[in-house]
Amino acid sequence: MTSARRLSTLVRRPTRSEVLQAADDYIAYFPLEQPRERARELREAVLTWREGEEIPQAVYEATRQFVLSLGVREPACGWENDDGYQVRAIDRDTDGAEPPPEAASAAASRSYSDASKQAARLAQAVAGVVNLAGALASPRLWAKATTWPSREHLVEHVDQLLSAFGAELEQQKFTAPARRLRALLSAWEPGPELPADVSEAARELLAAVGIEEPPGGWDAPERPREGPSNDNG
């Protein structure tokens, strides 16, 4: 949903209803306010899209902002030119020989499939650790839980992020904060008392992936939800 070109690579384009449902699910189940706000903006943009008509540019723009809020970077070629598969220099033919058409087609298909799987893995790893760090960033919210995940579960989320980027890991801004958080989590038995250094490391990691501190701070009281009015007159 980040560009018309990216959508053209899909076997089936998602429907308006499916995108709305996905946005609603994210808003309902994920705690971080900035991505949730971007999801709300995406939902508002999708409401301007009439089924059967061209997708408005506002939907693409809102999707990009949502993706960026999850820590996913804009493709080097730009959103409009992204087809989900970027040829790396190491993949180029260096001996000047032209591969047979069948072989080239099969290789392109495999490379595209591999690239798509890698992109999905990166997005999942980033989203997983962002939600984990979001919970750890607020001692007040953490203490309100009735159960807490195991140490192994917490460390596993960070490990997934660190392993997903492979050789490109050292180039990422979040690498050092993620490693610091992992070391702290490895030495902590999760419970209602959230150590200050763990919380600080989680906030540092969120900042490194572009998640801004919410108004009032990470541990600010929740804003009251607006409910239906009981005024009958």
Side-chain angles (χ1 to χ4, degrees), residues 1-4 6-23 42 46 49-56 59-60 63:
M1 296 295 295
T2 53
S3 72
R6 187 69 182 87
L7 273 180
S8 70
T9 67
L10 302 180
V11 175
R12 185 182 71 83
R13 190 176 79 170
T15 66
R16 177 178 181 271
S17 297
E18 288 172 339
V19 179
L20 286 173
Q21 185 62 57
L42 172 57
V46 172
W49 168 26
R50 295 182 179 179
E51 199 72 70
E53 296 184 357
E54 289 298 319
I55 298 177
V59 175
Y60 295 129
T63 304

Side-chain angles (χ1 to χ4, degrees), residues 45-167:
V46 172
L47 289 175
T48 69
W49 168 26
R50 295 182 179 179
E51 199 72 70
E53 296 184 357
E54 289 298 319
I55 298 177
Q57 185 63 29
V59 175
Y60 295 129
E61 293 292 344
T63 304
R64 295 167 190 174
Q65 292 304 312
F66 172 67
V67 170
L68 289 171
S69 75
L70 296 176
V72 179
R73 294 182 175 182
E74 178 178 354
C77 61
W79 296 113
E80 295 292 348
N81 300 314
D82 177 39
D83 59 3
Y85 169 63
Q86 300 301 315
V87 179
R88 298 173 300 164
I90 196 173
D91 292 329
R92 295 173 186 154
D93 187 13
T94 56
D95 60 9
E98 291 293 333
E102 296 82 0
S105 176
S109 177
R110 286 194 299 272
S111 296
Y112 176 79
S113 176
D114 291 345
S116 296
K117 290 177 181 178
Q118 176 67 1
R121 183 185 177 203
L122 293 179
Q124 183 177 17
V126 170
V129 84
V130 161
N131 281 288
L132 165 65
L136 293 171
S138 174
R140 181 184 58 80
L141 291 178
W142 181 268
K144 289 175 63 176
T146 55
T147 60
W148 292 270
S150 67
R151 174 193 302 167
E152 291 75 19
H153 180 77
L154 296 177
V155 171
E156 182 183 8
H157 273 292
V158 183
D159 283 344
Q160 288 175 350
L161 177 70
L162 294 174
S163 64
F165 283 79

Side-chain angles (χ1 to χ4, degrees), residues 158 162 169-170 174-184:
V158 183
L162 294 174
L169 178 62
E170 299 305 326
F174 63 74
T175 302
R179 285 173 173 161
R180 180 188 173 214
L181 179 60
R182 187 193 188 283
L184 292 169

